[in-house]
Amino acid sequence: MTNVFLAVFEISLSCSLVVTALMLLTPLLNKRYAARWKYWVWIFLALRLVIPFHGMDVRNALDTWLQRKEPVSEGILDNGAGHVADGLPGEGAPPRGIVVEIPAEMTAPIVLQAGKGDISVTLLDVAAFLWAVGCLLIIGVHCFSYLHYSSQVMKGGTIIRDSYILSQISGLKRELRIKSAVCAVEYPQAGSPMIMGFFTPVLVLPNRQYDPEKLHFILKHEMIHLKRRDVYKKLLFMTANAVHWFNPLMWLMQREAVIDMELSCDERVTQGEGYAVKKAYTESLFASFQEQCRKGTSLSTSFYGGTQIMKKRFRNILQGRGKKSGAAVLACTVALTVVLGNLVGCSLGSGTMEETSGRQENPDGSVEGAEGNGQGESDDLLSSTGSGAAAPGMAAPGADLSDAATEIPQNGQIYGYLSGFDGDAAIVDWQIWATPGSQYWKPEYDEDAGFEVVDAEGEDITYPISGDCTYSVLENHHDPVLELTPQEFASYLTEMEFPVLWVIELEEGQIKSISEQYRP
């Protein structure tokens, strides 16, 4: 849950910059561009806010999928330099330009006394928990309010059977090409006309006498809401606000989005009409505004924005001629959001958020995503086996790693990356176990896993290769196991698109076997 919270926090930061820019430019945008384009901008941003993924996440997922489709390449040529060829998924991507560092106090473990043992939590865990509770609470309140109000409408309302109103609704459905059925209900406690209902739309009208012309405008306004499925978009805005409730700008964005929804609907009602019709429409809105006294539910098209917002709607209707298309504004917003999403990030101590969120626990308990070898290798590599026990020849869990790092293993099994290979010797970037309590352990590591594979201190180790050394790789980095000749293995290294963690068997300082570690 902490990783999800950090992902949400990053997206909230990047989108806040876009929302701030739009808020500052709102007077200019409203003057020059039709409201429907700004409305689509809010819809895009709301979608971005509820999808906690970055562009690099999508790219890495695509790269992983493509790697699983590619067969193992075999050949007999070395690269001439004795080094593994570079080419990592996502390598060359721009680094985060705006980094918000999470204080170390937020990730420092706090041990709590419990009945059956101690529980270790961090302030970041507490913040993530409070975020989740707040998110669920806001969504729950809105859902309860909607269900309660809809039940009141069904109990206290009466189905409209007035032939004139029904004929107006039928005519507007043909005009607007609306195929879905809608039930018209008269509810005395309704504050204003509205559309509500997600699967069975209901048109709710207050119990009032309407002038025929005003009734036409009211019905057309609500039928346009129905055609555009604006109740679903209000649900989207509410969800985005609930997920990012800790960000004040998201509350302002939701309010501005609902206002632009009404402005764009007004533009659609009066599209192609003359000044006289627009004036009559504003008079209908004004009469409705004077009679509004009760609030409905936020998950409906009911709207009451106060005097200033109604004046804004009137100006937009009467002065709405000659406004430009806002397609360019929408395109710029999309581009800016994507760019900022890849530039803005969080930092946990000495590691970035990608190091934390990139680790995935496998069914066998192994952890994906270890530290690199210090030579630019990717972080999304498998972190060894699934048990907490140390492999033969490695430092035991909990041992002093600074001493272990200075002792070069001569026998047994170690894990490492190959930074050089020529058939006679291999340069091994040795990886060491880190466990909670050791000096190599960092707060962002997965404490539940009980270990993390980290880069050993000191220079890479050059080992001679035994004459009977065996080489094993995994087809498509999964299975089955393939046995290669030294020449084929050298070619395999040069054609790899990302570093692989190898299991290396040592005997009297010589390499007896090199096997590719399973990569899920």
Side-chain angles (χ1 to χ4, degrees):
M1 183 170 64
T2 302
N3 290 340
V4 176
F5 171 65
L6 289 175
V8 168
F9 188 71
E10 274 196 351
I11 293 172
S12 195
L13 288 177
S14 61
C15 288
S16 291
L17 300 176
V18 181
V19 172
T20 301
L22 288 172
M23 291 292 186
L24 294 176
L25 294 174
T26 287
L28 176 63
L29 296 176
N30 289 344
K31 184 177 180 180
R32 299 190 61 180
Y33 300 102
R36 69 180 182 274
W37 291 104
K38 191 154 164 267
Y39 181 40
W40 278 107
V41 167
W42 298 129
I43 292 172
F44 166 76
L45 285 174
L47 286 171
R48 180 69 187 96
L49 287 166
V50 299
I51 303 176
F53 298 104
H54 295 292
M56 288 305 302
D57 295 332
V58 177
R59 178 179 174 183
N60 289 339
L62 181 60
D63 287 340
T64 301
W65 181 80
L66 291 176
Q67 289 162 10
R68 297 181 66 173
K69 295 293 183 181
E70 293 176 356
V72 174
S73 301
E74 296 185 2
I76 57 173
L77 296 177
D78 199 349
N79 61 0
H83 294 285
V84 178
D86 294 327
L88 312 178
E91 186 176 336
R96 296 297 174 90
I98 305 174
V99 178
V100 177
E101 184 170 350
I102 305 297
E105 293 78 9
M106 293 290 292
T107 57
I110 302 174
V111 179
L112 303 177
Q113 297 293 331
K116 296 183 179 180
D118 295 339
I119 300 176
S120 179
V121 298
T122 66
L123 291 179
L124 189 59
D125 295 329
V126 176
F129 175 76
L130 293 177
W131 162 75
V133 170
C135 179
L136 294 175
L137 183 62
I138 293 173
I139 293 176
V141 168
H142 280 288
C143 291
F144 176 80
S145 174
Y146 168 77
L147 294 174
H148 177 69
Y149 190 81
S150 61
S151 66
Q152 286 185 324
V153 171
M154 293 298 103
K155 291 178 181 178
T158 57
I159 297 178
I160 296 176
R161 304 187 185 279
D162 185 288
S163 59
Y164 179 75
I165 295 179
L166 295 178
S167 65
Q168 287 283 316
I169 294 175
S170 179
L172 288 169
K173 286 181 64 177
R174 289 193 299 271
E175 177 185 342
L176 299 173
R177 298 180 181 178
I178 299 174
K179 296 181 180 180
S180 60
V182 59
C183 176
V185 174
E186 186 177 76
Y187 180 54
Q189 304 301 318
S192 67
M194 70 183 78
I195 292 288
M196 60 184 303
F198 296 96
F199 303 106
T200 305
V202 177
L203 170 63
V204 182
L205 295 175
N207 186 11
R208 303 184 189 124
Q209 295 295 323
Y210 294 99
D211 176 88
E213 184 179 33
K214 293 180 180 178
L215 178 63
H216 175 78
F217 287 132
I218 290 172
L219 293 177
K220 186 172 183 179
H221 183 96
E222 298 304 325
M223 296 304 286
I224 289 174
H225 277 311
L226 175 63
K227 178 180 176 62
R228 301 192 313 183
R229 302 182 181 274
D230 282 338
V231 290
Y232 288 95
K233 294 165 187 173
K234 292 195 77 171
L235 176 63
L236 173 64
F237 297 142
M238 182 274 291
T239 304
N241 184 47
V243 173
H244 299 265
W245 62 267
F246 55 86
N247 189 340
L249 284 173
M250 299 303 108
W251 296 84
L252 295 177
M253 190 197 87
Q254 182 188 25
R255 180 176 179 272
E256 194 70 17
V258 173
I259 293 173
D260 284 328
M261 183 182 76
E262 294 299 324
L263 293 178
S264 63
C265 191
D266 293 337
E267 290 175 348
R268 180 65 179 84
V269 172
T270 58
Q271 184 177 1
E273 303 289 352
Y275 182 82
V277 174
K278 293 182 178 180
K279 186 173 182 296
Y281 178 59
T282 58
E283 291 174 353
S284 300
L285 289 178
F286 183 71
S288 177
F289 165 70
Q290 288 182 316
E291 295 170 349
Q292 287 178 355
C293 57
R294 299 181 182 87
K295 187 177 180 181
T297 172
S298 60
L299 296 180
S300 71
T301 60
S302 175
F303 178 80
Y304 175 73
T307 304
Q308 296 300 320
I309 301 304
M310 295 305 291
K311 288 182 179 180
K312 184 177 181 179
R313 292 179 66 181
F314 295 160
R315 286 195 300 268
N316 188 65
I317 294 168
L318 298 176
Q319 302 174 3
R321 291 184 178 180
K323 290 190 176 182
K324 300 179 181 180
S325 167
V329 176
L330 177 59
C332 290
T333 302
V334 172
L336 182 61
T337 302
V338 172
V339 170
L340 288 176
N342 288 324
L343 290 179
V344 177
C346 297
S347 174
L348 295 175
S350 61
T352 61
M353 179 185 162
E354 283 85 350
E355 294 171 352
T356 304
S357 61
R359 295 194 313 274
Q360 298 179 356
E361 187 172 344
N362 300 314
D364 63 350
S366 61
V367 177
E368 185 175 358
E371 286 191 353
N373 62 0
Q375 299 179 358
E377 293 179 339
S378 174
D379 284 339
D380 68 332
L381 300 173
L382 184 66
S383 297
S384 188
T385 62
S387 68
M394 298 181 64
D400 186 352
L401 298 182
S402 60
D403 294 338
T406 60
E407 299 175 359
I408 299 178
Q410 299 295 315
N411 295 282
Q413 184 185 83
I414 65 171
Y415 291 86
Y417 303 111
L418 295 181
S419 53
F421 178 84
D422 62 4
D424 296 324
I427 303 175
V428 179
D429 179 35
W430 181 28
Q431 304 296 302
I432 293 181
W433 285 87
T435 57
S438 68
Q439 69 180 57
Y440 275 71
W441 189 261
K442 295 182 181 179
E444 62 265 27
Y445 290 161
D446 187 358
E447 190 169 357
D448 292 336
F451 71 96
E452 188 81 12
V453 176
V454 298
D455 191 34
E457 294 181 358
E459 300 293 332
D460 294 352
I461 309 170
T462 301
Y463 284 107
I465 298 177
S466 172
D468 58 350
C469 179
T470 59
Y471 307 90
S472 303
V473 300
L474 300 174
E475 185 174 2
N476 294 325
H477 308 290
H478 287 272
D479 52 41
V481 176
L482 302 178
E483 300 292 338
L484 302 182
T485 65
Q487 293 78 13
E488 291 172 337
F489 183 71
S491 178
Y492 180 81
L493 291 179
T494 62
E495 296 176 3
M496 283 194 313
E497 295 184 355
F498 51 85
V500 167
L501 189 65
W502 300 97
V503 182
I504 300 170
E505 294 285 349
L506 299 174
E507 184 176 308
E508 297 181 355
Q510 290 189 332
I511 297 178
K512 297 292 292 184
S513 71
I514 302 176
S515 304
E516 182 177 349
Q517 172 66 34
Y518 171 69
R519 176 184 173 89

